[in-house]
Amino acid sequence: MVRYHRMRGRPTLWLPGTDHAGIATQLVVERMLASEGIKRVELGRDEFEKRVWEWKEKYGGTITNQIKRLGASCDWTRECFTLDEQLSRAVIEAFIRLHEKGLIYQGSYMVNWSPKLQTAVSDLEVEYSEEPGTLYYIKYRVAGGSRSDFLTIATTRPETLFGDVAIAVHPQDERYSKYVGKMAIVPMTYGRHVPIISDKYVDKDFGTGVLKISPGHDHNDYVLARKLGLPILNVMNKDGTLNEVAGLYCGLDRFEARKKLWSDLEETDLAVKMEPHSLRVPRSQRGGEVIEPLVSKQWFVTMQPLAEKALLAVEKGELTIIPERFEKIYNHWLTNIKDWCISRQLWWGHRIPVWYIVGNDCEEEYIVARSAEEALMKARDKYGKDVEVYQDPDVLDTWFSSALWPFSTLGWPDELAEDFKRFYPTTMLETGHDILFFWVARMVMMGIEFTGTVPFSYVYLHGLIRDSQGRKMSKTLGNVIDPLDTIKEFGTDALRFTLALGTSGQDLNLSTERLTANKAFTNKLWNAGKFLLQVLPNRDNVSGWQNIEACKFNTEGYLLRLPLPECWVVSKLHMLIDAVTESYNKFFFGDVGREIYDFFWGDFADWYIEASKARIYHSGDDSVALVAQTVLLYVFENILKLLHPFMPFVTEELWQALPNRREALIISSWPQTALPRSTDLVKRFENLQALTRAIRNARAEYSVEPAKRVTASIVGSEEVIQYISEEKEVLALLSKLDLDNIHFADSPPEDAKQSVHLIASEGLEAYLPLADMVDISAEVQRLTKHLSKMQTEYEGLKARLNSPKFIEKAPKDVVRGVQEKAAEAEEKINLTKNRLALLKSTVMLLQ
């Protein structure tokens, strides 16, 4: 995109950078420290942050280096990192402004807790996977009832029963209506009682139809408890062990507690049964561990008012999402958005700009400030001069700073900054469809909130790169592909071209076959450049280059004066420029790649380069050769321009190798559109191509030796014969005909019956004398022997098909396969018989 628009003469800026990846980076560094026998808490916050910065300096450039090697045309002088001073200033400013508007608040709510990482994670950072699990059936005795009065509850997480605050049944479930209003005894809690209530929320058909309500450890129970005014009981520590509420199980890991609790329930006859059950297990996107729903005090952003504006931007057409189908997903998520938990219990990241009063147990009173000095000044103004403050230990979600990227990187909150004034709002965001919510939607919301405009006009979503079998890359599968390894084997241009041929929003299976094919394309382009350098005038041939540069292909008069092959290839090029430019403008990059590939390989390399050899090597006329040289250069340099955004390295290298280059390809101008072309002359050359293909096919069919030049009689109308005969040298070269024995006429030759008759197109035919193509007697012998072998094989196939036993017992696809082989064999036998008849009749006529 950026290379194309730069060549179109538009101001372009692709601003590179990376975020600090709070959770992932801290996880990696903690593992590294653990291998040295060091724990984060032992180091202290400052020393730990120092170690993370050291790690970042050593390994943080990996992604940047990959992007550079892939040919990303960025302005690397502007490279940013989310923890840079300017971006950090923007983060603090954004937090303060949102807080001042009442859109940031602190509260104890149900969050997704990662016990291993010791932090809350957002809903988007939780991935659900279908996994085999267990459904545990447990007895809850009814207080005051007999031994037969109990309710059986089915749960997948028995260890949370210590946090039960009620037992619920459906109001219309007659099985349990007599127990509603009574109390149940929670097992293994020394007789703790909870009320038995009724609520329509309960699913009568799941398990036993009885639901334990543990609002401290289940999102749905939490919502129900808040609706009914039930208390919230937390039984778990932040590290995933059970707390003192669990009594004897205090200190046990949640999964160890589950095993011990079930064993104890079996001993006390409160365990009914356990059975296999498929679960949707929530796992941390970063660490992979099972997420624990937990009530925790966190900082949140109120999202609804921000989401409404982001929805309106798409509705009003201020923002276009490509491909369009992702608009529905974007709209659905923003319509049903929840408040965003932005605090993370980490040490690596942007510290939350909130300070509390030392010695004040009430954390409801806090100060929001841009710096510690400002916080202390505010605190002393409010609470007295002897007051001291301490900062909130949490950091902000990495995505909070990433959400500000389009404008924080350009100087915001300084809206007078030159970059901000020139480049904001931006035009295009290009990113993966998997972070539509994590990043894209949040950038839109924050852009509108802080600048009043959408941060970009278009969002182009690319697919994910998968392996050749369509699997997502993972270290577990061992199918992760490092782009630098791929570059070493296939080259950057081949890799870029392969990726760019994908369709927007669709994942791409990266196969060796695709890469190999596009490496061959790169080589073909390189070899075409080598050919041009061989046939173009020497650099010191001033007059030769003056003549070439004097040729102008932008006038219809000049185009129509060109010989047929030259007029054809220039016309096709001008059509290609228009088609490719339109596809670029519509973001149809796959179409761009395929259109250029087909023209270069199918038209220019396979046809025109070969045709030009007749001019350059066989015409004996310098003026004729000059026309071919000029056209070769004109077409090739425009192909390089069109291909440059896809394949920058090979195209730039070839461009610089061509004589008289005044500027680099990267900053050269895009080819002009709406240039002249002649569709009539294109059709004429297509007739010449059809004739050539027909002759080539006949040569292959009759196994004519590659070096053998054959005689031909070309028959057609006066008009057709005129333009075909003018290109006699090209036809002879491309079709390997005997130049001195090509005859043009308006009627078939006398030896037509002893010739292979070819119909190239309507009104254009060719006759190739058989005797001139093959040794007829030897060919008759070869075909007779081949026919005998084919008939034997055919009879064997027919015998199988005539066997009732085979038809009845063999699988249908096997029978169908034999039928297809028999039909194919019969067709080949008939063709061979016809050819033999023609050869034998020719022998008789020659005798």
Side-chain angles (χ1 to χ4, degrees):
M1 292 181 190
V2 75
R3 289 178 185 275
Y4 167 69
H5 287 286
R6 185 185 294 122
M7 292 174 80
R8 294 300 301 267
R10 295 165 182 162
T12 56
L13 171 61
W14 179 5
L15 198 151
T18 48
D19 65 48
H20 57 278
I23 292 176
T25 304
Q26 180 154 325
L27 187 62
V28 168
V29 176
E30 285 197 41
R31 283 175 183 164
M32 183 184 73
L33 291 173
S35 69
E36 301 172 19
I38 303 171
K39 290 185 178 179
R40 167 170 60 106
V41 290
E42 294 169 357
L43 277 179
R45 186 165 193 147
D46 292 343
E47 184 60 27
F48 177 77
E49 285 187 35
K50 182 183 173 185
R51 294 290 289 268
V52 181
W53 276 108
E54 288 172 0
W55 181 91
K56 189 259 178 189
E57 291 304 313
K58 188 173 181 181
Y59 300 106
T62 302
I63 293 173
T64 298
N65 186 44
Q66 289 173 333
I67 293 170
K68 286 181 177 179
R69 289 286 302 279
L70 281 164
S73 191
C74 304
D75 182 346
W76 293 101
T77 64
R78 284 179 164 90
E79 185 178 359
C80 291
F81 180 55
T82 44
L83 289 178
D84 287 346
E85 185 180 345
Q86 156 56 27
L87 274 67
S88 297
R89 186 166 69 95
V91 168
I92 292 169
E93 187 66 31
F95 184 97
I96 290 171
R97 291 192 189 185
L98 289 172
H99 185 268
E100 286 172 349
K101 289 186 72 172
L103 293 174
I104 284 183
Y105 64 93
Q106 187 185 44
S108 294
Y109 297 95
M110 176 69 71
V111 297
N112 303 299
W113 186 261
S114 173
K116 189 174 181 180
L117 297 170
Q118 293 276 296
T119 182
V121 294
S122 73
D123 291 344
L124 293 177
E125 292 166 309
V126 177
E127 293 180 340
Y128 290 87
S129 59
E130 290 290 333
E131 299 178 21
T134 304
L135 198 57
Y136 299 88
Y137 290 78
I138 304 170
K139 289 180 185 178
Y140 280 58
R141 298 196 186 284
V142 178
S146 66
R147 290 187 66 82
S148 61
D149 286 321
F150 61 84
L151 299 172
T152 300
I153 287 170
T155 178
T156 58
R157 301 168 67 216
E159 69 278 6
T160 61
L161 63 76
F162 299 107
D164 290 353
V165 297
I167 301 298
V169 297
H170 195 279
Q172 295 173 359
D173 196 332
E174 295 177 358
R175 294 175 294 174
Y176 308 116
S177 58
K178 64 181 177 179
Y179 296 123
V180 175
K182 295 185 177 183
M183 303 293 280
I185 303 170
V186 180
M188 313 308 291
T189 61
Y190 303 105
R192 186 166 65 85
H193 289 33
V194 294
I196 301 170
I197 63 174
S198 64
D199 195 276
K200 291 180 180 178
Y201 168 74
V202 179
D203 182 356
K204 289 191 293 182
D205 299 321
F206 177 76
T208 60
V210 184
L211 177 71
K212 62 188 279 304
I213 300 176
S214 313
H217 300 280
D218 182 276
H219 286 282
N220 295 322
D221 290 4
Y222 177 76
V223 173
L224 184 62
R226 294 192 71 182
K227 183 184 84 170
L228 299 175
L230 295 170
I232 292 168
L233 199 57
N234 174 36
V235 304
M236 210 162 289
N237 296 313
K238 296 293 175 72
D239 62 357
T241 59
L242 270 60
N243 62 24
E244 65 279 359
V245 175
L248 292 174
Y249 302 88
C250 176
L252 286 178
D253 174 78
R254 52 187 167 158
F255 300 117
E256 290 175 18
R258 183 179 299 176
K259 290 178 186 176
K260 179 170 171 46
L261 175 61
W262 183 251
S263 175
D264 293 347
L265 288 168
E266 287 179 319
E267 285 185 17
T268 54
D269 199 31
L270 293 175
V272 178
K273 64 175 179 176
M274 61 183 200
E275 60 185 25
H277 181 70
S278 182
L279 303 173
R280 278 187 81 237
V281 179
R283 291 191 176 274
S284 165
Q285 187 189 58
R286 297 297 181 190
E289 65 172 326
V290 176
I291 289 295
E292 191 64 44
L294 212 63
V295 174
S296 177
K297 194 172 188 180
Q298 303 287 343
W299 290 94
F300 296 84
V301 177
T302 304
M303 299 305 289
Q304 189 177 350
L306 302 176
E308 286 171 356
K309 295 175 185 176
L311 283 164
L312 197 61
V314 171
E315 186 183 321
K316 291 166 66 178
E318 294 171 358
L319 177 66
T320 302
I321 299 175
I322 304 164
E324 190 179 353
R325 69 177 186 275
F326 282 97
E327 280 189 13
K328 289 182 180 178
I329 301 169
Y330 171 92
N331 289 340
H332 180 266
W333 185 70
L334 286 175
T335 303
N336 298 280
I337 200 166
K338 296 177 182 176
D339 285 356
W340 177 12
C341 174
I342 56 169
S343 48
R344 297 289 180 270
Q345 288 65 52
L346 303 171
W347 285 354
W348 175 247
H350 295 100
R351 195 93 172 258
I352 290 177
V354 169
W355 282 261
Y356 305 99
I357 309 302
V358 174
N360 190 343
D361 293 334
C362 180
E363 288 195 346
E364 302 303 317
E365 295 180 9
Y366 58 82
I367 291 163
V368 178
R370 289 171 177 82
S371 66
E373 293 75 21
E374 184 185 328
L376 185 60
M377 187 177 69
K378 284 184 175 181
R380 288 179 173 174
D381 285 347
K382 189 172 181 180
Y383 299 104
K385 292 182 179 180
D386 297 329
V387 151
E388 296 296 332
V389 295
Y390 66 94
Q391 192 171 358
D392 194 308
D394 291 353
V395 299
L396 289 163
D397 181 4
T398 302
W399 293 108
F400 187 89
S401 53
S402 297
L404 313 177
W405 186 268
F407 46 94
S408 65
T409 53
L410 297 174
W412 188 91
D414 178 9
E415 297 190 5
L416 296 177
E418 284 303 313
D419 277 359
F420 186 85
K421 288 193 295 182
R422 186 177 184 198
F423 292 111
Y424 192 86
T426 68
T427 305
M428 168 65 70
L429 169 73
E430 199 280 345
T431 190
H433 65 69
D434 56 327
I435 52 175
L436 179 60
F437 310 133
F438 285 107
W439 195 33
V440 180
R442 286 168 174 167
M443 279 192 285
V444 175
M445 288 186 277
M446 294 301 183
I448 296 171
E449 172 64 24
F450 293 120
T451 71
T453 59
V454 290
F456 26 73
S457 303
Y458 298 94
V459 175
Y460 183 96
L461 299 171
H462 63 244
L464 307 182
I465 308 302
R466 297 181 178 271
D467 71 9
S468 57
Q469 298 175 45
R471 300 175 303 176
K472 192 173 183 179
M473 292 184 196
S474 75
K475 290 177 182 175
T476 308
L477 291 173
N479 62 345
V480 176
I481 300 171
D482 185 334
L484 299 189
D485 293 336
T486 309
I487 286 170
K488 285 177 188 174
E489 187 174 355
F490 299 99
T492 304
D493 292 308
L495 176 58
R496 284 174 61 104
F497 195 70
T498 301
L499 302 184
L501 287 180
T503 305
S504 64
Q506 288 187 6
D507 293 352
L508 180 74
N509 298 350
L510 190 62
S511 67
T512 303
E513 291 75 16
R514 288 188 186 201
L515 289 164
T516 302
N518 290 324
K519 183 179 180 181
F521 177 56
T522 310
N523 291 339
K524 188 80 171 176
L525 192 68
W526 183 261
N527 289 333
K530 283 173 66 177
F531 170 75
L532 256 75
L533 290 173
Q534 289 169 4
V535 302
L536 288 173
N538 294 326
R539 292 175 185 271
D540 54 3
N541 186 343
V542 177
S543 62
W545 280 101
Q546 285 177 343
N547 290 332
I548 286 175
E549 291 173 358
C551 298
K552 304 298 178 187
F553 295 92
N554 58 354
T555 63
E556 189 173 10
Y558 185 84
L559 178 78
L560 296 177
R561 288 197 298 274
L562 292 172
L564 182 60
E566 282 70 25
C567 183
W568 166 78
V569 77
V570 171
S571 293
K572 291 277 283 187
L573 171 71
H574 291 170
M575 294 174 187
L576 175 73
I577 292 169
D578 288 0
V580 161
T581 303
E582 185 177 358
S583 293
Y584 265 120
N585 291 337
K586 291 180 177 178
F587 313 113
F588 295 164
F589 303 111
D591 290 353
V592 172
R594 284 182 286 273
E595 286 160 356
I596 301 172
Y597 182 102
D598 291 344
F599 173 78
F600 168 74
W601 202 309
D603 292 336
F604 183 66
D606 283 357
W607 286 96
Y608 184 68
I609 284 182
E610 295 306 311
S612 71
K613 291 174 183 176
R615 315 283 202 225
I616 295 166
Y617 298 134
H618 305 298
S619 68
D621 185 335
D622 288 346
S623 63
V624 171
L626 176 66
V627 171
Q629 290 169 330
T630 305
V631 169
L632 280 168
L633 179 63
Y634 174 71
V635 175
F636 189 65
E637 66 182 10
N638 276 289
I639 288 172
L640 294 180
K641 286 184 177 184
L642 298 178
L643 259 182
H644 179 71
F646 281 78
M647 308 175 86
F649 295 104
V650 68
T651 53
E652 188 70 73
E653 187 74 15
L654 288 167
W655 177 270
Q656 301 274 1
L658 293 170
N660 302 331
R661 299 297 99 182
R662 295 179 180 85
E663 60 186 2
L665 179 57
I666 190 174
I667 55 168
S668 66
S669 58
W670 188 253
Q672 188 181 337
T673 55
L675 291 167
R677 75 284 313 267
S678 171
T679 52
D680 289 340
L681 293 179
V682 167
K683 287 176 183 175
R684 287 186 178 186
F685 189 79
E686 286 171 354
N687 270 346
L688 181 63
Q689 285 179 302
L691 178 60
T692 302
R693 288 193 191 99
I695 296 170
R696 286 174 175 175
N697 291 341
R699 290 178 63 100
E701 196 175 332
Y702 284 90
S703 304
V704 179
E705 292 177 8
K708 187 176 178 64
R709 302 282 167 173
V710 300
T711 301
S713 294
I714 312 301
V715 177
S717 64
E718 184 180 346
E719 181 193 5
V720 172
I721 291 298
Q722 183 180 345
Y723 66 74
I724 295 291
S725 63
E726 287 176 359
E727 298 304 331
K728 181 179 177 180
E729 290 80 5
V730 172
L731 178 64
L733 182 67
L734 298 179
S735 307
K736 294 187 177 177
L737 299 179
D738 182 350
L739 185 60
D740 297 327
N741 283 295
I742 303 176
H743 308 289
F744 297 94
D746 58 3
S747 59
E750 292 179 2
D751 60 352
K753 290 184 178 180
Q754 296 97 56
S755 301
V756 177
H757 179 208
L758 308 173
I759 300 175
S761 60
E762 190 175 345
L764 180 59
E765 301 173 18
Y767 292 85
L768 309 179
L770 263 173
D772 199 36
M773 294 172 68
V774 292
D775 181 333
I776 296 177
S777 297
E779 185 68 4
V780 167
Q781 287 180 6
R782 188 186 72 80
L783 287 178
T784 301
K785 188 177 178 181
H786 185 53
L787 179 62
S788 176
K789 184 182 176 183
M790 285 195 296
Q791 283 177 325
T792 302
E793 291 174 358
Y794 176 68
E795 285 164 8
L797 293 168
K798 291 300 288 182
R800 292 179 74 187
L801 292 172
N802 290 332
S803 167
K805 195 174 180 181
F806 172 74
I807 298 296
E808 290 170 10
K809 293 190 174 181
K812 287 183 179 179
D813 57 336
V814 173
V815 174
R816 195 181 308 113
V818 174
Q819 288 171 336
E820 288 172 358
K821 283 182 180 178
E824 188 180 340
E826 186 177 17
E827 186 180 350
K828 287 180 178 178
I829 286 168
N830 290 331
L831 285 170
T832 306
K833 283 180 177 179
N834 292 338
R835 193 177 299 170
L836 265 172
L838 176 61
L839 289 167
K840 286 176 180 177
S841 66
T842 304
V843 171
M844 290 174 65
L845 287 167
L846 291 172
Q847 289 173 345

